[in-house]
């Protein structure tokens, strides 16, 4: 192992010892840590909101609704359900194994690593921590260095609330993350892009460590000719331009039946004006691109594509501002359609039919999310039944994430494993099967030698 970053070795040793000492083994201790995490979010809301504004230009409402409040909701659910989640589940025994009893016992995995991205740098760091603690694990948190203000606030303030034997925060960049990945963890939970996801998975494979990969991909919105276009436009606009488009499940592009492309574009323009005014740059509700590098990447995509900017397009590098932008006449094999945009640029592509839209989606890697807008159940059923994606919302965007009983995660190149609510608890637990047998009776028929009548009876029982 690398001798660099001795503080990381010390932090790892502390949480490993914490797990061995059972610091969060008892349910009451887990509940205490969850309540303390909630206190952190409530009492330090102003510090966190300020940091999120510094990193991403988030308004206080958006910071609360998409990061702080979202995580509090996960904590409240866990606190209300943890005793049920951790209760052993009885199962039936086959006749030939009676008398006895069988149950499934949920046990913690051990010490886990949670690596967060920069786009929701608080929620995607702490929301996975909630089920990790609920399941009885200790954890190393690695916030994103690309959201430095949020990382600094978490590193400085979270230790005032959580037991350092249960949770440690490791900040830094690629070298620190690489150092962490050299270590053996009992689970690695990574949210980010597929390129780094492959690095994480290769590193975890060295120790046969299970992984959860929450990745991304080009999530399509399909708009049928019968859709309520004003509603569809508002909901696509909301899902696309919240956090300035830097959302893993944001609509990445729109496939619209060609007969209604013109009114949909008009409705999208109205929705942008309604949400952000004629000058979104001056709107308190419109965010900024996280860094100069990502700003240059996005404007480079716009310049390289050669499509028509139908709405928006204005940018200011000094402010890391890129307006809500809609592009038509897109080259479907060009730059905008070859990688996840992860920004406020929305290609709108006409298709002759819903079947053509389905074929378009299926020709590409499986997306993290898919959205379909239609008033016909038959269209909804066809799209859901003939496409594969991490999740689906019908006649809206993003909202399947808000349903605690639905697992959130990807499929194929958009990720593996799902969490939120009890599904997150299951990710960070081992469902251990336990069989109890009595010492009496102990019939000799169960043991060799086998033959004759004994073999016939056993074959019948089995």
């Amino acid at each position: 192992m690398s001798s660099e970053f001795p503080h990381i070795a010390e932090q790892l040793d502390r949480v490993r010892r914490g797990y061995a000492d059972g610091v969060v083994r008892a349910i009451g201790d887990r509940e205490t840590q969850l309540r303390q995490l909630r206190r952190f979010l409530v009492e330090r809301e102003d510090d966190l909101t300020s940091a999120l504004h510094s990193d991403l230009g988030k308004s206080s409402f958006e910071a609360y609704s998409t990061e702080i409040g979202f995580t509090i909701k996960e904590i409240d659910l866990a606190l209300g359900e943890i005793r049920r989640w951790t209760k052993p589940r009885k199962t039936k025994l086959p006749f030939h194994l009676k008398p006895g009893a069988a149950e499934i016992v949920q046990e913690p995995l051990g010490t886990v690593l949670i690596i967060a991205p920069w786009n929701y740098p608080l929620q995607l760091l702490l929301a996975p921590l909630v089920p990790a603690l609920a399941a009885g694990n200790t954890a190393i948190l690695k916030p994103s260095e690309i959201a430095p203000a949020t990382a600094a606030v978490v590193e400085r303030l979270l230790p005032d609330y959580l037991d350092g034997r249960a949770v440690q925060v490791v900040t830094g960049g690629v070298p620190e993350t690489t150092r962490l990945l050299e270590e053996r963890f009992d689970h690695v939970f990574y949210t980010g892009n597929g390129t780094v996801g492959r690095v994480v998975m290769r590193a975890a494979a060295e120790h046969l460590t299970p992984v959860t990969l929450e990745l991304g991909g080009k999530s399509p919105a399909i708009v049928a000719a019968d859709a309520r276009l004003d509603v569809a436009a508002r909901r696509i606009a909301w899902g696309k331009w919240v956090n300035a488009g830097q959302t893993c499940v944001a609509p990445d592009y729109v496939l619209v039946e060609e007969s209604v492309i013109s009114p949909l574009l008009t409705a999208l323009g109205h929705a942008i004006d309604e949400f952000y005014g004629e000058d979104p740059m001056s709107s308190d509700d419109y965010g900024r691109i996280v860094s100069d590098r990502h700003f240059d990447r996005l404007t480079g995509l716009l310049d390289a594509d050669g499509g028509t900017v139908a709405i928006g397009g204005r940018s200011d590098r000094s402010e890391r501002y890129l307006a809500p932008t809609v592009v038509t006449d897109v080259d479907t094999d060009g730059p905008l359609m070859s990688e996840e945009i992860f920004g406020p640029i929305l290609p709108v592509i006409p298709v002759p039919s819903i079947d053509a839209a389905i074929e378009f989606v299926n020709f590409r890697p499986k997306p993290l999310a898919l959205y379909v807008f239609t008033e016909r159940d038959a269209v909804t059923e066809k799209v859901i039944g003939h496409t594969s994606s991490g999740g689906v919302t019908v006649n809206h965007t993003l909202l399947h994430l808000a349903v605690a009983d639905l697992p959130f995660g990807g499929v194929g190149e958009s990720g593996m494993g799902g969490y939120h609510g009890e599904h997150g608890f299951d990710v960070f637990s081992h469902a251990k099967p336990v069989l109890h047998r009595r010492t009496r009776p102990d019939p000799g028929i169960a043991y060799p030698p086998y033959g004759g009548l004994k073999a016939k009876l056993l074959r019948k029982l089995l």
Side-chain angles (χ1 to χ4, degrees), residues 197-410:
R198 288 174 171 84
V199 173
V200 170
M201 197 167 184
R202 280 194 293 268
E206 289 297 315
H207 302 292
L208 295 179
T209 298
V211 297
T212 299
L213 300 179
E214 298 294 346
L215 307 178
K218 297 186 73 63
S219 297
I222 298 174
V223 180
D226 71 295
R228 289 187 57 190
L229 297 180
D230 56 338
V231 175
R234 277 199 302 273
R235 294 177 178 182
I236 290 170
W238 173 76
K240 178 63 180 180
W241 288 299
V242 67
N243 201 29
Q246 299 165 117
T247 303
C248 59
V249 288
D252 191 88
Y253 62 96
V254 177
L255 300 172
V256 53
E257 288 198 270
E258 54 194 10
S259 62
V260 294
I261 186 171
S262 181
L264 178 66
L265 290 171
T266 299
L268 283 169
H270 289 327
I272 293 169
D273 289 344
E274 178 186 346
F275 294 171
Y276 309 115
E278 293 184 3
D279 180 19
M281 189 172 179
S282 63
S283 170
D284 291 336
D285 294 311
Y286 188 70
R288 296 296 184 264
I289 306 306
V290 71
S291 68
D292 290 343
R293 181 172 69 85
H294 282 281
F295 176 89
D296 293 340
R297 178 185 65 82
L298 289 164
T299 53
L301 286 175
L302 263 183
D303 293 340
D305 183 78
T308 301
V309 175
I311 300 170
R314 181 186 168 200
S315 63
D316 184 335
R317 192 176 190 274
S318 67
E319 293 285 329
R320 290 185 278 118
Y321 168 78
L322 179 55
T325 299
V326 176
V327 181
T328 57
D329 306 316
V330 175
D331 179 359
T332 56
D333 295 317
L336 278 178
M337 294 303 296
S338 62
E339 62 180 80
E340 183 179 5
I341 294 170
F342 221 70
I345 304 167
L346 182 66
V348 177
I349 301 168
V351 289
S353 65
I354 294 299
D355 286 338
I358 290 171
E359 183 179 359
F360 189 99
V361 171
N362 288 340
F363 187 70
R364 288 159 172 78
K366 296 176 181 180
L368 183 56
L370 183 147
Y371 308 108
V372 55
F373 292 85
T374 180
E375 295 296 297
R376 290 180 290 163
D377 291 342
V379 173
T380 297
E381 291 167 6
K382 175 180 277 191
V383 171
I384 293 174
H386 290 81
T387 60
S388 179
S389 60
V392 177
T393 294
V394 178
N395 285 322
H396 217 305
T397 57
L398 313 191
L399 293 184
H400 59 288
L401 276 73
V403 183
D405 289 334
L406 291 178
F408 171 69

Side-chain angles (χ1 to χ4, degrees), residues 139-188:
I140 292 284
L141 300 182
K142 174 59 182 69
S144 173
E145 71 278 11
I146 301 176
T150 304
V153 167
V154 171
E155 181 185 37
R156 177 169 58 90
L157 297 178
L158 190 62
D160 294 340
Y161 292 85
L162 297 185
D163 191 326
R165 297 169 298 166
V167 178
Q168 288 283 315
V169 180
V170 174
T171 57
V174 172
E176 287 80 3
T177 304
T178 302
R179 171 67 182 87
L180 285 169
L181 288 172
E182 292 175 355
E183 291 286 340
R184 180 189 298 275
F185 286 92
D186 297 291
H187 195 93
V188 175

